[in-house]
Amino acid sequence: MTGLQSLRIQGLKHNQPTLLQLHTIISSSPELEVLALTFWEWEAAGSAPTVPSLYPIALNSLKTLILDSINPVVVEGLSSIIIAPKCNNLKLHRVGGNMVHDQLTASRFVHLLRGPLREASGLFLDYNQPRGEIIFGAKEEEEGSDELGIRAATSKLAKRRRLYFNVSLGSAVQKKSRVWNDLMRTAMRNVFQPALSGLQLPIEFKLRGPPLHPTRVEESQELPYAIFLELPLTISLLLFNILATNSILDCLASPQHLSNADGDTGSLARPGPRLEKITILCSKESFKNAGTVISAAANLKTIKIIQLKR
C-alpha cells in the first residue's frame, strides 16, 4: 500500500480496525493525500494502545483529514500522531474531551491546526453548554447568518468548511457551570491560544448557557471573563441564555488585570478592543441594564438585544 493516495472508510458497523491496525495501515501509506474515516458505530476501545506508545506518522502529501463520528479513541490517537505539514482541510467531528485536557495530545493536535489556520480568513468559536460541546472552525466568505446572527446547522457547515472540529463532552458538563468553566479555560490554554499564536484572524465568539429555570434565576454563572483578554481579535460576540450577561458587559466596559500561569501581571488591558457586534438573547432576569451595552466596546457598530420568553 505504499502508493495509496486516498483512503476513505465510511459506515462501518462491525469488525472495525483498532487504533493499532489503523496506525499500521496509515504508516505504510506515506503518499496518502486524503484520509477520511466517517460514521462508524462506536465500539469499546478494548485494549487499544495509549497514544504515547504509537510513533508519529509523517504524511507529507496529506491535504485532507476527516475523522467524523467515529470512536473518540481513534480520533484522539490519529490526530495526535499524524504529522501533515500540507494539510489544509481538517474536519474532526464529535471528538472526546481528552483532546483538550491532555497537554501532550493537545500540543500534537495544535500542529495539525496550523495548516488550515494559515489559509483561513476568519474564525468562529462556539462554547455550547446545553449540548456539552465546543465548536471551532474557519469562517468561509460565502457563509450567511440568520437575523439573530446564528449560523446554519453545524452538519451543513462542517461539509463545506476547511477547518472544523467540535469537542463533545456529554452530559457531565451540561448542568455544572464550574466544570464547564474549567473546561473553557483548559481548551483556551491548551489548544486555542497556541494554535492562534502569531495569527491575526478575526474571531466570532458565541457563549451559550443552559435554559433558565424559573425558580433558580438567582444562580450565577461564573464565566471566565479572561477569555476576552486571551482573544483580543474577537469582533463579534453572541450571548445566549447567559445569566452573567451584565457582568460580562461590565468586564468589557473597563480595563481588566492581565494574568498568566504565575498570577496577576499587574498590567491592565481592555477586553475586546476590536469588538464590533454584540448580540444578546436573554430573559429579563439575566439582562437589566441596556446602558452597559453602550459602554462595553469603543468600536461597536451593531447591537442586537432580544428578550426570550420562558
Side-chain angles (χ1 to χ4, degrees):
M1 299 180 68
T2 56
L4 188 67
Q5 294 182 336
S6 178
L7 176 61
R8 303 173 185 266
I9 306 177
Q10 179 176 337
L12 286 186
K13 295 183 178 180
H14 307 290
N15 300 318
Q16 299 175 10
T18 64
L19 177 57
L20 181 58
Q21 289 171 330
L22 286 170
H23 183 275
T24 301
I25 295 171
I26 296 170
S27 61
S28 301
S29 309
E31 301 301 319
L32 271 179
E33 296 181 6
V34 176
L35 176 59
L37 310 178
T38 58
F39 301 103
W40 298 4
E41 290 191 4
W42 294 357
E43 295 180 350
S47 58
T50 57
V51 173
S53 68
L54 298 175
Y55 60 84
I57 304 172
L59 298 176
N60 295 322
S61 299
L62 190 69
K63 297 178 181 178
T64 296
L65 175 60
I66 302 175
L67 306 176
D68 187 346
S69 303
I70 63 176
N71 194 314
V73 171
V74 175
V75 178
E76 176 191 330
L78 293 182
S79 60
S80 63
I81 60 177
I82 289 177
I83 300 173
K86 294 182 180 179
C87 181
N88 58 11
N89 188 358
L90 177 65
K91 298 181 178 71
L92 306 179
H93 192 43
R94 296 178 185 172
V95 302
N98 199 49
M99 289 287 293
V100 298
H101 280 297
D102 183 79
Q103 288 189 334
L104 177 60
T105 302
S107 65
R108 292 171 170 175
F109 175 49
V110 165
H111 287 289
L112 267 183
L113 292 175
R114 295 292 289 184
L117 283 173
R118 282 193 294 267
E119 299 189 12
S121 60
L123 301 171
F124 80 95
L125 178 58
D126 189 341
Y127 281 17
N128 193 324
Q129 186 175 355
R131 296 183 60 175
E133 67 181 5
I134 297 174
I135 305 172
F136 178 70
K139 181 178 178 295
E140 304 295 343
E141 293 295 339
E142 68 274 13
E143 284 182 13
S145 302
D146 63 19
E147 67 275 10
L148 301 183
I150 300 177
R151 297 188 180 280
T154 55
S155 59
K156 294 181 180 179
L157 292 179
K159 291 180 180 178
R160 66 172 185 254
R161 182 172 282 133
R162 283 190 172 273
L163 171 62
Y164 175 93
F165 78 90
N166 73 332
V167 182
S168 182
L169 303 144
S171 59
V173 302
Q174 292 176 14
K175 298 180 180 179
K176 298 179 179 179
S177 291
R178 189 170 299 278
V179 174
W180 180 246
N181 296 337
D182 289 342
L183 170 71
M184 292 169 71
R185 294 185 181 95
T186 301
M188 186 66 63
R189 180 181 63 248
N190 290 350
V191 177
F192 301 126
Q193 281 187 308
L196 296 173
S197 177
L199 300 176
Q200 298 294 311
L201 295 174
I203 300 171
E204 295 183 1
F205 188 29
K206 297 179 175 65
L207 279 170
R208 305 174 193 258
L212 301 179
H213 193 285
T215 63
R216 291 159 54 189
V217 297
E218 73 282 356
E219 292 183 2
S220 64
Q221 291 172 313
E222 297 179 3
L223 294 169
Y225 306 130
I227 54 181
F228 298 109
L229 294 172
E230 295 159 352
L231 292 176
L233 297 180
T234 298
I235 60 170
S236 174
L237 174 64
L238 181 143
L239 302 173
F240 186 90
N241 266 349
I242 300 297
L243 281 175
T245 294
N246 284 295
S247 297
I248 291 176
L249 295 174
D250 287 339
C251 168
L252 292 172
S254 57
Q256 304 293 320
H257 285 274
L258 294 174
S259 62
N260 54 28
D262 299 322
D264 192 337
T265 64
S267 301
L268 291 173
R270 187 185 181 95
R274 294 181 57 182
L275 192 61
E276 298 178 354
K277 178 180 179 180
I278 293 179
T279 303
I280 300 170
L281 294 86
C282 61
S283 72
K284 63 181 180 180
E285 289 83 5
S286 60
F287 181 67
K288 301 176 182 178
N289 183 7
T292 57
V293 182
I294 307 301
S295 60
N299 299 320
L300 275 182
K301 297 179 180 178
T302 303
I303 300 172
K304 195 172 294 186
I305 304 171
I306 299 172
Q307 190 171 99
L308 303 175
K309 295 182 180 179
R310 286 183 181 169

